[in-house]
Amino acid sequence: MAITVVKGQRTDLTKLVKGLSQVTIGIGWQGPDEFELDTSAFLLGSNGKVSKDEDLIFYNNPSTAFITYRDSQSQGDQKQFNMNLSLIPSSIEKIAFSLTIYDGEKRGQSFHAVRSLYIRVQNEQTGEELLRFHLENTSFTSETAVVIGELYRHNGEWKFNAIGSGFSDGLQALCSNFGIDVKEEPTLAPQPEPQPKPIPPEPKPTPAINLNKIVLEKRGDKINLQKKSGKLGEILVNLNWNQRQNTGGFFRRDTGIDLDLACLYELKDGRKGLIQALGNSFGSLTRLPYISLDGDDRTGAVKSGENLRINGNQIKEFKRLLVFTFIYEGITKWSEADGVVTIKQDGGPDIIVNLNEHDNRKAMCAIAMIQNVNDETLSIERLVQYYQGHVELDRAYDWGLSWKRGSK
């Protein structure tokens, strides 16, 4: 017989049912036909936040290896999540289940008009309902989002917590609460009345193309370096940024961001390594790996920024290089750093990569992939993709290095 729980009650699941692994989370309600209700599950770490946007499970991102969202009309449920508890990674400590009203604020709709809301947990293998939480006695007024309940891990066992907390501002408020940035779509201005076509003016002369600078604007944009006089020469990778200092305020600290330039390298003979100030791995331009880092700008005030140099005359030694940067100290506010990377080559145009896509939740940014092209030149590909740290970056690009914490 199912246990009926009340708001705030915590209940053992795997401790109560030995060997429990496959469960169904069923969610049901009754509401006006014009209401559009959506269900979501947030996969949370020990800090109560998601680690990436993909940790939001809903109709547009319905499944992982251990949880699947689906619409359902069985046993009164409107929505269900099928889960395998034994497959949930150890990094996930909680799974919060929520319900939101689509465009509730704009339409003047709220959970005050929703009745018979519940969440239940069922043993998928036996079909037995283990517990049920009715939210009938929860007094909602203007809320457009509700965290109904959560599964959480405690001492290796899974438990259920009956929450029943409401939020205003719908899904956006939930995402903000759990660490996901939501960008609202701009409101389209009304289309003007069609006007008679004006007489076209005299064509203006086409502006001259700037051959001294090429900007890689989108992820995946790629260009090859120019090869002159049979050699590539020295390639300079420059990182510069503007560190805005905090000015005053009782709770504000006047500390700058330490933005470090670095690269992973892989040589033709299979050797792999890392060039960065952290750990004093500055490399060498005249001997393997033929890559060197000039120094470490700790403030952002040095006009020349940080420089990474690549000996292009040794191109036959290189297979690929991953140029990246990370915030060693300071708050991760990429959006305020105005980072720009310039790749310079004698006789060739400057290649610009602006760090104009931001993820302030992550402290490391992969900037560009540099690859050997038939031992003749190097290709530069824009990435601008953010990661939690060295280990996640390594895995994303399959470098296969072993990592341990270092310091300057």
Side-chain angles (χ1 to χ4, degrees):
M1 183 176 177
I3 299 172
T4 300
V5 298
V6 297
K7 183 175 180 177
Q9 184 175 346
R10 299 169 184 261
T11 307
D12 289 312
L13 288 177
T14 53
K15 196 173 182 180
L16 185 68
V17 181
K18 297 298 182 183
L20 179 67
S21 61
Q22 294 179 313
V23 298
T24 296
I25 308 297
I27 299 171
W29 65 89
Q30 292 179 8
D33 292 340
E34 63 270 21
F35 279 30
E36 297 182 56
L37 273 68
D38 297 321
T39 310
S40 308
F42 293 85
L43 314 181
L44 309 174
S46 57
N47 61 352
K49 306 290 184 182
V50 300
S51 63
K52 55 185 180 299
D53 290 351
E54 291 76 17
D55 286 343
L56 170 59
I57 306 300
F58 67 122
Y59 60 86
N60 238 8
N61 181 43
S63 65
T64 69
F66 57 87
I67 182 171
T68 300
Y69 160 95
R70 65 188 183 94
D71 293 320
S72 172
Q73 297 299 324
S74 66
Q75 302 188 53
D77 299 340
Q78 305 269 13
K79 310 286 183 181
Q80 288 184 346
F81 292 92
N82 299 114
M83 303 177 57
N84 190 328
L85 302 178
S86 64
L87 297 180
I88 299 176
S90 58
S91 59
I92 296 175
E93 294 287 332
K94 297 180 182 179
I95 301 177
F97 300 96
S98 67
L99 198 60
T100 57
I101 301 175
Y102 177 70
D103 270 354
E105 291 80 10
K106 294 180 182 178
R107 300 175 180 180
Q109 301 170 351
S110 74
F111 275 97
H112 181 67
V114 177
R115 297 287 180 265
S116 303
L117 174 57
Y118 70 85
I119 184 171
R120 66 187 191 90
V121 181
Q122 176 180 301
N123 185 334
E124 195 172 311
Q125 292 175 309
T126 65
E128 178 188 5
E129 184 173 306
L130 303 177
L131 64 84
R132 183 178 287 251
F133 171 37
H134 291 280
L135 283 76
E136 294 172 349
N137 296 324
T138 303
S139 299
F140 295 120
T141 54
S142 61
E143 292 88 345
T144 53
V146 177
V147 177
I148 312 170
E150 68 180 13
L151 293 181
Y152 69 100
R153 200 193 306 260
H154 180 70
N155 293 333
E157 303 287 351
W158 284 99
K159 297 188 175 186
F160 177 82
N161 184 15
I163 297 178
S165 295
F167 290 76
S168 298
D169 297 328
L171 182 61
Q172 184 170 358
L174 285 181
C175 288
S176 177
N177 182 66
F178 292 126
I180 297 178
D181 294 327
V182 177
K183 296 180 180 178
E184 291 189 349
E185 296 182 3
T187 303
L188 296 178
Q191 296 296 319
E193 292 281 333
Q195 300 293 327
K197 292 184 179 180
I199 300 173
E202 290 292 324
K204 296 179 180 179
T206 304
I209 299 173
N210 184 0
L211 297 177
N212 295 320
K213 182 173 72 172
I214 296 174
V215 180
L216 301 182
E217 297 181 345
K218 298 178 182 179
R219 188 173 301 153
D221 282 358
K222 185 185 294 187
I223 190 172
N224 289 350
L225 296 178
Q226 295 183 6
K227 184 178 181 181
K228 295 185 177 181
S229 304
K231 292 185 177 181
L232 284 176
E234 181 181 299
I235 298 122
L236 175 69
V237 181
N238 171 262
L239 169 67
N240 221 322
W241 72 95
N242 173 36
Q243 171 54 45
R244 297 185 179 92
Q245 297 287 338
N246 289 334
T247 55
F250 185 75
F251 292 105
R252 301 175 73 91
R253 293 185 299 172
D254 192 17
T255 57
I257 293 176
D258 181 13
L259 200 61
D260 283 5
L261 181 64
C263 89
L264 289 167
Y265 65 83
E266 181 177 1
L267 304 181
K268 283 282 195 69
D269 62 6
R271 279 183 281 188
K272 300 177 182 179
L274 171 69
I275 303 295
Q276 65 175 20
L278 186 62
N280 296 317
S281 301
F282 289 95
S284 172
L285 197 63
T286 58
R287 61 182 186 274
L288 288 173
Y290 301 111
I291 309 164
S292 68
L293 183 66
D294 282 1
D296 181 25
D297 177 9
R298 298 293 295 273
T299 66
V302 178
K303 291 183 178 180
S304 61
E306 295 198 0
N307 295 312
L308 185 74
R309 301 178 187 272
I310 304 168
N311 189 341
N313 295 334
Q314 303 294 332
I315 184 174
K316 292 184 179 180
E317 300 288 343
F318 301 127
K319 181 178 180 181
R320 58 175 181 155
L321 295 82
L322 175 60
V323 179
F324 66 96
T325 183
F326 60 97
I327 297 175
Y328 178 69
E329 290 179 344
I331 300 173
T332 55
K333 288 191 176 180
W334 297 98
S335 52
E336 295 184 5
D338 296 332
V340 58
V341 170
T342 305
I343 301 172
K344 298 175 178 285
Q345 178 197 18
D346 287 340
D350 288 353
I351 299 170
I352 309 294
V353 178
N354 293 303
L355 306 188
N356 51 9
E357 299 173 56
H358 311 122
D359 188 342
N360 290 332
R361 297 176 298 121
K362 299 181 180 180
M364 185 165 290
C365 177
I367 300 168
M369 181 70 76
I370 302 176
Q371 299 193 75
N372 186 324
V373 181
N374 300 323
D375 287 345
E376 295 181 356
T377 186
L378 296 172
S379 67
I380 314 294
E381 179 183 356
R382 176 190 169 101
L383 299 176
V384 189
Q385 184 76 34
Y386 291 85
Y387 300 93
Q388 296 285 4
H390 290 82
V391 174
E392 187 178 10
L393 178 79
D394 182 299
R395 290 174 181 168
Y397 297 96
D398 194 26
W399 232 267
L401 297 179
S402 298
W403 297 94
K404 63 179 181 180
R405 185 174 294 276
S407 61
K408 296 181 182 179

